[in-house]
Amino acid sequence: MAGELPSDWKEKSAAFVAKVNEKAETIASRKASQNALNGFGPLLPEILGGSADLAGSNLTLWSGCKDVNAPGHDGNYVYYGVREFGMSAIMNGVAVHGGFRPYGATFLMFSEYARNALRMSALMKIPVIQVYTHDSIGLGEDGPTHQPIEQTATLRMIPNMQVWRPCDAVESAVCWQAAIERQDGPSTLVFSRQNLPHVERTPAQIEAIRRGGYVLRDCAGTPDAIIIATGSEVELAMKAAEELNGKGKKIRVVSMPSTNVFDAQDAAYRESVLPSAVTKRVVVEAGVSDAWYKYVGLNGKIVGMDRFGESAPAGVLFKEFGFTVDNVVKTVSEIL
């Protein structure tokens, strides 16, 4: 009821993150999220999950789930139906009551229906966890009505809301870990439908994930340019950097799974990741571009999505809208 985590949480959750890193799986981050629930769920008897209609798609059912409507008094999963606002408001009430750590899920696009409850959780400093999957035009054939464009950006704009968009299974596990440990406000976890490749990291880089933004790939000396990316677009940034390095350019790649958390870091850390002397910067994210200008300034460019999507396979859409290695290389080359 006091909201304290189990005494062995820190040790066992860290061991799970290490295990995820060792497995090095290429999987959708929504699947990595489910794996995280299977890793963390057994450590947390207080966890109470749920989904607004889409449990089978957002992968928030884990091995220890039991429907609250099943016989007995040990249910820990709620099938909310098509009630995104109701779900989020109920989660607020459950968290305020105490004794439970609630998470609820739907597609990112449908976060719109829950907006008032999300704002209240941030205003009231309630530690609920929102799980949003199918995070971009990577949703594909469901078309523009279901493809989130501005949602991640507007969620980041809510004061006291921490928004995480991880790029692989390791970042997904760490963002779940951070969200569970947070006590002073809500966390939003944004996951992909499509598979994302594992990224090799040092132990220091894994630790730095929790700081919201960190150097994922570096170069010798001062970088000629920095590429900042989130989620599925980190893969493009890494491949583009490799190609540009092969052409003699020194490129740093920064993964920024949470702009809110990164912005809260001390100035020295932020400067170490994004040195002010390096003004040639490109951001790559499949969403609206406006909020990224604070990182790239007047000398940078953004590979973003400032129009609605279309209905087509994800690969076709990413190519159509410029989310390709070739376009990232071209964009960085232009500013250089």
Side-chain angles (χ1 to χ4, degrees), residues 60-73:
T60 46
L61 290 164
W62 59 284
S63 59
C65 281
K66 181 178 178 181
D67 188 347
V68 295
N69 289 315
H73 301 284

